[in-house]
Amino acid sequence: QPVPTANSTTGLNPITYEWFIDGSSASTSPDFTNSFNEPGNTTDHTDHVYTLIATDANGCKDTLEQTVTISTPVAIIDYSLDGAATNANGDFLCPPVFATFTDNSLTYGTITTFNWVFGDGKFSSLQNPSNTYVFPGTYSVSLTITDQYGCTSDTTLADYLTIFGPTADPSWNQSASLCGQDVSFDLGPNSNVTNIVWNLDDGTIVNDSIQFDHTYLDVNTFNPTVTITDSNNCQVLYPLDPITIPDN
């Protein structure tokens, strides 16, 4: 565990410095960083005494001691998953999948921060969070903890969740002509899609089109979506970015 120190000594220059760790000489630099490689006992800790002796140009000295506690936390993740039917490998056949995470980390001190990364673009700082996976894919989850002494640990469950179902990458492009009323829609790269339903949020429904153009007639902001279905009747809804038709 690297332990940096910042020297804010004041006095008549030039000032010289002597650093000691647990009584042993360590450095004569103004600032000092030392790394500890502790044995890794999560139920205990180690205290180290830092001592700084500063001597000014007149030979006057001042001494400061500070105790640094080194702990060795270990991040541990437990989780449970709930959703649609699974195959023989335990993979889910369709989203959504609801994940509940439990922090089982080990540490001597108190864990002060939790940083969860769910692998689908979402995060959490709760100790025991939950997350809903709404799109097909293979996901990893990671947890980084920091304890009261500033010591950290992280762990990752790689590819811990696989969800099958139809996939797409829908988008739209707003034309500069006709005051921006013309909008082109595109389902993008897709797989396992047998049915397509576009809801353009102005009362218009478009079925089974991968690419098409639409003209919005009102000045407003619209929130279109597209729902795709595969051969197993698994439906996935993709919300698109809002479309604003300006008042020109």
Side-chain angles (χ1 to χ4, degrees):
Q1 177 74 39
V3 180
T5 58
N7 186 348
S8 56
T9 301
T10 60
L12 182 64
N13 289 317
I15 302 175
T16 59
Y17 306 96
E18 295 178 274
W19 290 91
F20 297 84
I21 297 180
D22 300 330
S24 298
S25 179
S27 176
T28 56
S29 300
D31 296 322
F32 174 55
T33 298
N34 187 66
S35 295
F36 296 100
N37 185 16
E38 304 299 333
N41 185 350
T42 59
T43 61
D44 203 352
H45 68 290
T46 304
D47 289 335
H48 297 281
V49 178
Y50 274 55
T51 303
L52 171 62
I53 301 175
T55 305
D56 69 8
N58 292 325
C60 297
K61 296 179 181 290
D62 193 20
T63 301
L64 179 67
E65 287 190 351
Q66 183 74 41
T67 299
V68 176
T69 299
I70 304 298
S71 63
T72 52
V74 176
I76 300 175
I77 297 174
D78 194 10
Y79 66 92
S80 62
L81 302 172
D82 185 32
T86 58
N87 60 20
N89 295 323
D91 301 324
F92 288 86
L93 301 181
C94 188
V97 173
F98 307 96
T100 301
F101 300 97
T102 301
D103 163 56
N104 285 335
S105 302
L106 301 175
T107 180
Y108 169 79
T110 300
I111 300 175
T112 57
T113 61
F114 302 86
N115 182 18
W116 295 85
V117 181
F118 298 129
D120 62 347
K122 289 178 285 188
F123 310 88
S124 177
S125 59
L126 298 176
Q127 180 177 6
N128 299 306
S130 59
N131 185 52
T132 301
Y133 293 89
V134 296
F135 298 115
T138 297
Y139 300 97
S140 301
V141 62
S142 65
L143 168 63
T144 301
I145 59 173
T146 304
D147 69 11
Q148 69 189 81
Y149 305 113
C151 299
T152 63
S153 176
D154 62 81
T155 188
T156 298
L157 302 181
D159 301 338
Y160 87 107
L161 170 64
T162 296
I163 308 173
F164 291 103
T167 63
D169 187 17
S171 62
W172 54 262
N173 181 51
Q174 196 167 10
S175 172
S177 64
L178 291 177
C179 305
Q181 291 175 272
D182 281 354
V183 180
S184 299
F185 291 89
D186 189 345
L187 191 62
N190 60 88
S191 63
N192 303 320
V193 177
T194 59
N195 187 54
I196 308 169
V197 178
W198 297 85
N199 183 338
L200 305 187
D201 197 33
D202 66 346
T204 302
I205 302 296
V206 177
N207 294 301
D208 297 326
S209 292
I210 293 178
Q211 293 178 325
F212 65 95
D213 297 330
H214 177 70
T215 300
Y216 284 94
L217 301 180
D218 297 322
V219 174
N220 207 339
T221 295
F222 301 93
N223 296 281
T225 64
V226 59
T227 300
I228 56 177
T229 308
D230 66 10
S231 58
N232 294 320
N233 202 34
C234 173
Q235 292 186 342
V236 177
L237 184 146
Y238 285 88
L240 280 75
D241 291 335
I243 301 172
T244 298
I245 305 301
D247 185 1
N248 290 329

